[in-house]
Amino acid sequence: MIKDRARTETYREAIMQHQSFIQGKVVVDVGCGTGILSIFCAQAGAKRVYAVDASDIAVQAKEVVKANGLSDKVIVLHGRVEDVEIDEEVDVIISEWMGYMLLYESMLGSVITARDRWLKPGGLILPSHATLYMAPISHPDRYSHSIDFWRNVYGIDMSAMMQLAKQCAFEEPSVESISGENVLTWPEVVKHIDCQTIKIQELDSVTARYKFKSMMRAPMHGFGFWFDVEFSGPASSPAKTSSGISVASGSSSVSPSREGNQKKRSNPSDALVLSTSPEAPPTHWQQTIVYFYDPIDVEQDQVIEGSVTLSQSKENRRFMNIHFEYSSAGRSFVKESVMR
Amino acid sequence: MIKDRARTETYREAIMQHQSFIQGKVVVDVGCGTGILSIFCAQAGAKRVYAVDASDIAVQAKEVVKANGLSDKVIVLHGRVEDVEIDEEVDVIISEWMGYMLLYESMLGSVITARDRWLKPGGLILPSHATLYMAPISHPDRYSHSIDFWRNVYGIDMSAMMQLAKQCAFEEPSVESISGENVLTWPEVVKHIDCQTIKIQELDSVTARYKFKSMMRAPMHGFGFWFDVEFSGPASSPAKTSSGISVASGSSSVSPSREGNQKKRSNPSDALVLSTSPEAPPTHWQQTIVYFYDPIDVEQDQVIEGSVTLSQSKENRRFMNIHFEYSSAGRSFVKESVMR
């Protein structure tokens, strides 16, 4: 993941942008991995960086820190944030905690724990905010490749395979790269997270109602999800919109020209944003698509509405259940999907 | 895998090439999957085709057969070849049984069972022969991308990560596509299989000694494996070489001009060959590479020798152990690898 340049370079830029705050301060890096973000913070002038990771990679992180002559500044702690001891308050929490679809296997819970255990009032959390978006998508090539293929295979009618093919291809969410062209209308916010105030209980189950108006006539194949995170300082928190929800920064926008009543945050702080939208530079997170088993033909201006609920699976707490309720043009259905 | 055109089209061509033998005969398709090979055989004029598959795909295969109006000719049997009953002898066995590196998760055992249970003397097995090859390879780009990357990551010395990176990247065999350019010399045969005579016990453990003479000066990164299968009829079995081993058909050759004493089969029968060599059209099998943890600089004409043993893992009978003994220019070592 360190090879994801968009990710690593945005983090470095964010650290450098907050250098005046970080200088001489104490930092904790939650889930430090190879230690690269801790080293960036040390390079930015941090007095001390606690680099915490529960996995064995902490052993390598310690070596990396040593090889770069930073052992006096960067203290690698091999353990969970719940278990390790830090005997001082910290000024800054940095973490690359985001999972696919933002919340799948995310480490946000550890960031919250670190915040509640060690962060000084007025401290900085990087990233400061995260937003998960969804939008209806059309992806005829992908559908055709996976499903229509079976209509005629070397001259043989294999359409009997199509039901199974749909199950194999579309039962689970798919992490893949789509383009702005695949998106039928502006995204809506599924969940906006302020890392200073989010509570762990809020993440058990996230429900959002959605209401889209298709900007074109097209076969709709499902919903796409992506997210962005924002790196704004405590003094420059973005203004809330009147609805109380901060919505889509510019980098999450998609190609069709904006119409209708969707909200767009003006991003007054000009905070740095790492976006995983179809129109942003590619990242290892790509986008996550929940496909329907069959395409739905939607007309221009057709309203598509319903709700989506993301919750921890009872089968395995690492898994994420995605429950859709969909209703449009007199047709409604439910789709359940599990991200394993 | 049905989308692998090289595979499916070669099978169809092989069936059509043996049409005069197949016409009016009884065929068994071992591991029929979607039933496509069974349908090809029915189209070629088989009297009856038993399409056997232990997996639930047999249910779809039955539907596909029905949709193509072949239910009277193609009998789908949902079960293992060890368990299903066929109350007549068969003239032809067809099967797409090959796994990665030919033998990993292969269904050759089921083909042998079917042969011993049902095949008439003088019957046809398609493919008739299979050969696994190996050759030393050089792949600096891949090595550099996985390992050298860590020498300087955004200006930070992360070489402490290299040992772990080598383990992650090169502990297990890697299924990937290489080109003829990556191959240091002509391949040698690891195992040649005559499907008419092979015994199941021979597959428990396969050992081959190898002796290569590098055709160039290059860093050697490991060994590549690939295979071909041949579709020759009972009346046109290929001649054995004087050593008793049939060796590399033309399609497995690699780019450098042939020198030295390697054997090359003249393929007198002009039998159809499906090759997965780096120079053949790509297939879903690609090639399998066992990388060393560190490259070895070899000189032109340097002799590389040793042995390789492929055997069933004791940890899990589906896994394959690969044991290498390597010796060259006074240096020798052993590498163990498990294909999971």
Side-chain angles (χ1 to χ4, degrees):
Chain A
M1 282 197 281
I2 202 169
K3 288 178 184 167
D4 177 342
R5 294 195 76 87
R7 162 198 174 275
T8 309
E9 284 175 359
T10 307
Y11 267 84
R12 180 162 63 171
E13 205 180 325
I15 290 166
M16 294 313 162
Q17 212 175 63
H18 291 90
Q19 184 161 20
S20 62
F21 188 93
I22 293 170
Q23 265 173 348
K25 299 280 178 59
V26 179
V27 177
V28 60
D29 176 359
V30 176
C32 68
T34 61
I36 192 162
L37 301 184
S38 294
I39 291 174
F40 288 158
C41 288
Q43 288 174 339
K47 180 171 71 173
R48 201 154 32 252
V49 184
Y50 295 98
V52 185
D53 207 299
S55 94
D56 288 345
I57 198 151
V59 177
Q60 268 73 38
K62 203 171 276 186
E63 291 299 314
V64 170
V65 166
K66 195 173 154 191
N68 289 276
L70 292 167
S71 297
D72 58 328
K73 284 203 166 169
V74 180
I75 299 155
V76 179
L77 301 173
H78 187 180
R80 304 186 321 146
V81 283
E82 287 80 1
D83 302 328
V84 300
E85 289 302 329
I86 296 178
D87 291 330
E88 59 183 326
E89 283 190 320
V90 308
D91 305 283
V92 181
I93 292 174
I94 191 156
S95 181
E96 195 281 85
W97 54 264
M98 300 86 73
Y100 293 123
M101 225 179 141
L102 188 61
L103 298 175
Y104 174 68
E105 292 199 333
S106 101
M107 291 193 303
L108 181 54
S110 299
V111 172
I112 295 172
T113 302
R115 178 195 71 195
D116 295 347
R117 287 192 70 184
W118 303 307
L119 190 67
K120 275 183 196 164
L124 175 64
I125 306 181
L126 294 179
S128 55
H129 300 82
T131 310
L132 176 64
Y133 301 92
M134 69 182 283
I137 63 125
S138 182
H139 204 337
D141 294 349
R142 165 72 201 270
Y143 193 85
S144 166
H145 178 79
S146 300
I147 309 302
D148 293 334
F149 165 85
W150 296 101
R151 292 189 193 280
N152 180 333
V153 184
Y154 306 94
I156 298 169
D157 170 11
M158 290 223 158
S159 45
M161 292 298 300
M162 287 172 70
Q163 205 47 46
L164 186 66
K166 285 174 192 173
Q167 244 173 57
C168 292
F170 303 142
E171 190 170 10
E172 296 191 17
S174 166
V175 175
E176 60 185 272
S177 287
I178 60 169
S179 80
E181 313 272 290
N182 297 117
V183 182
L184 287 176
T185 183
W186 297 100
E188 286 199 11
V189 171
V190 177
K191 179 74 180 170
H192 179 73
I193 291 168
D194 180 336
C195 296
Q196 292 281 353
T197 56
I198 180 86
K199 291 189 183 62
I200 190 86
Q201 298 85 329
E202 287 180 60
L203 301 174
D204 291 344
S205 176
V206 169
T207 296
R209 287 207 56 80
Y210 61 82
K211 184 170 184 175
F212 296 104
K213 199 190 241 184
S214 178
M215 294 170 89
M216 59 197 94
R217 183 183 182 181
M220 175 181 168
H221 292 100
F223 287 103
F225 292 83
W226 56 87
F227 64 89
D228 59 32
V229 295
E230 190 182 305
F231 298 87
S232 55
S236 58
S237 282
K240 305 283 180 175
T241 61
S242 56
S243 71
I245 305 171
S246 299
V247 189
S249 70
S251 53
S252 293
S253 65
V254 289
S255 44
S257 66
R258 174 170 288 262
E259 300 282 346
N261 61 352
Q262 284 87 355
K263 289 151 270 172
K264 182 174 160 79
R265 188 175 59 211
S266 54
N267 200 354
S269 62
D270 272 332
L272 203 61
V273 170
L274 171 59
S275 169
T276 67
S277 103
E279 297 217 322
T283 70
H284 75 275
W285 287 285
Q286 304 179 74
Q287 290 82 42
T288 301
I289 316 296
V290 178
Y291 284 98
F292 302 147
Y293 290 123
D294 293 291
I296 296 169
D297 289 319
V298 298
E299 301 297 325
Q300 187 172 336
D301 295 330
Q302 183 174 330
V303 173
I304 299 157
E305 58 188 325
S307 66
V308 60
T309 299
L310 312 177
S311 57
Q312 208 176 59
S313 163
K314 285 184 180 65
E315 173 192 354
N316 181 325
R317 55 191 307 276
R318 278 184 42 242
F319 299 168
M320 183 161 80
N321 284 338
I322 305 171
H323 172 93
F324 266 105
E325 300 192 4
Y326 171 98
S327 172
S328 184
R331 181 176 171 189
S332 48
F333 62 87
V334 165
K335 167 150 182 155
E336 300 275 357
S337 194
V338 182
M339 195 151 180
R340 286 165 214 276
Chain B
M1 282 199 282
I2 202 169
K3 289 178 184 166
D4 177 342
R5 294 195 76 85
R7 162 198 175 273
T8 309
E9 284 175 359
T10 308
Y11 267 84
R12 181 162 64 171
E13 203 180 327
I15 290 165
M16 294 313 162
Q17 211 174 61
H18 292 89
Q19 184 162 21
S20 63
F21 188 92
I22 293 169
Q23 266 173 348
K25 299 280 178 58
V26 178
V27 177
V28 60
D29 176 358
V30 176
C32 68
T34 61
I36 193 163
L37 301 184
S38 294
I39 291 173
F40 288 158
C41 289
Q43 288 174 339
K47 181 171 72 174
R48 203 159 25 256
V49 184
Y50 295 98
V52 185
D53 208 298
S55 94
D56 287 346
I57 198 152
V59 177
Q60 269 73 37
K62 203 171 277 186
E63 291 299 313
V64 169
V65 166
K66 195 172 154 193
N68 289 277
L70 292 167
S71 297
D72 58 329
K73 284 202 168 169
V74 180
I75 298 155
V76 178
L77 301 173
H78 186 180
R80 305 187 320 146
V81 283
E82 288 80 0
D83 302 327
V84 300
E85 289 302 328
I86 297 179
D87 291 330
E88 59 184 323
E89 284 190 320
V90 308
D91 305 283
V92 181
I93 292 174
I94 190 156
S95 181
E96 194 280 86
W97 54 265
M98 301 84 74
Y100 293 123
M101 222 178 145
L102 188 61
L103 299 174
Y104 174 69
E105 293 200 332
S106 101
M107 290 193 303
L108 181 54
S110 299
V111 172
I112 294 171
T113 302
R115 178 195 72 195
D116 295 347
R117 287 192 70 185
W118 302 308
L119 190 67
K120 275 182 196 163
L124 175 65
I125 305 181
L126 294 177
S128 56
H129 300 82
T131 310
L132 176 64
Y133 302 92
M134 70 183 281
I137 63 124
S138 182
H139 204 337
D141 293 350
R142 166 70 201 268
Y143 193 83
S144 165
H145 178 79
S146 300
I147 309 302
D148 294 333
F149 165 85
W150 296 100
R151 292 189 194 281
N152 181 333
V153 184
Y154 307 93
I156 299 169
D157 170 10
M158 290 223 158
S159 45
M161 291 298 300
M162 287 172 71
Q163 205 46 46
L164 186 67
K166 285 174 192 174
Q167 245 174 55
C168 292
F170 302 142
E171 189 169 14
E172 295 191 17
S174 165
V175 175
E176 59 185 270
S177 287
I178 59 170
S179 81
E181 314 271 291
N182 297 117
V183 182
L184 287 176
T185 183
W186 297 100
E188 286 200 11
V189 171
V190 177
K191 179 72 180 172
H192 179 72
I193 291 168
D194 180 336
C195 296
Q196 292 282 351
T197 57
I198 180 86
K199 290 188 184 62
I200 190 85
Q201 299 84 331
E202 287 180 60
L203 301 174
D204 291 344
S205 176
V206 169
T207 296
R209 287 207 56 81
Y210 60 82
K211 185 171 185 174
F212 296 103
K213 198 190 241 182
S214 179
M215 294 170 90
M216 59 197 95
R217 183 183 182 181
M220 176 180 167
H221 292 100
F223 287 103
F225 292 82
W226 56 87
F227 64 88
D228 61 31
V229 295
E230 190 182 303
F231 298 86
S232 56
S236 59
S237 283
K240 304 284 180 175
T241 61
S242 56
S243 71
I245 305 172
S246 300
V247 190
S249 70
S251 53
S252 294
S253 64
V254 288
S255 43
S257 64
R258 174 169 290 263
E259 301 280 346
N261 61 353
Q262 284 87 354
K263 290 151 269 169
K264 181 174 159 82
R265 187 175 60 211
S266 55
N267 199 354
S269 62
D270 271 332
L272 204 61
V273 170
L274 171 59
S275 169
T276 68
S277 103
E279 296 218 323
T283 70
H284 75 275
W285 287 286
Q286 304 179 71
Q287 290 81 44
T288 301
I289 316 297
V290 178
Y291 284 98
F292 301 149
Y293 290 122
D294 294 291
I296 297 170
D297 289 319
V298 298
E299 301 297 324
Q300 187 171 338
D301 295 331
Q302 184 174 329
V303 173
I304 299 157
E305 58 187 327
S307 66
V308 59
T309 299
L310 312 177
S311 57
Q312 207 175 61
S313 162
K314 285 182 179 66
E315 173 192 355
N316 182 324
R317 56 192 305 276
R318 278 183 43 240
F319 298 168
M320 183 161 81
N321 284 339
I322 305 171
H323 173 93
F324 267 105
E325 300 192 2
Y326 172 97
S327 172
S328 185
R331 179 175 171 190
S332 49
F333 62 87
V334 165
K335 166 148 184 157
E336 300 275 358
S337 195
V338 183
M339 196 152 180
R340 288 165 213 277

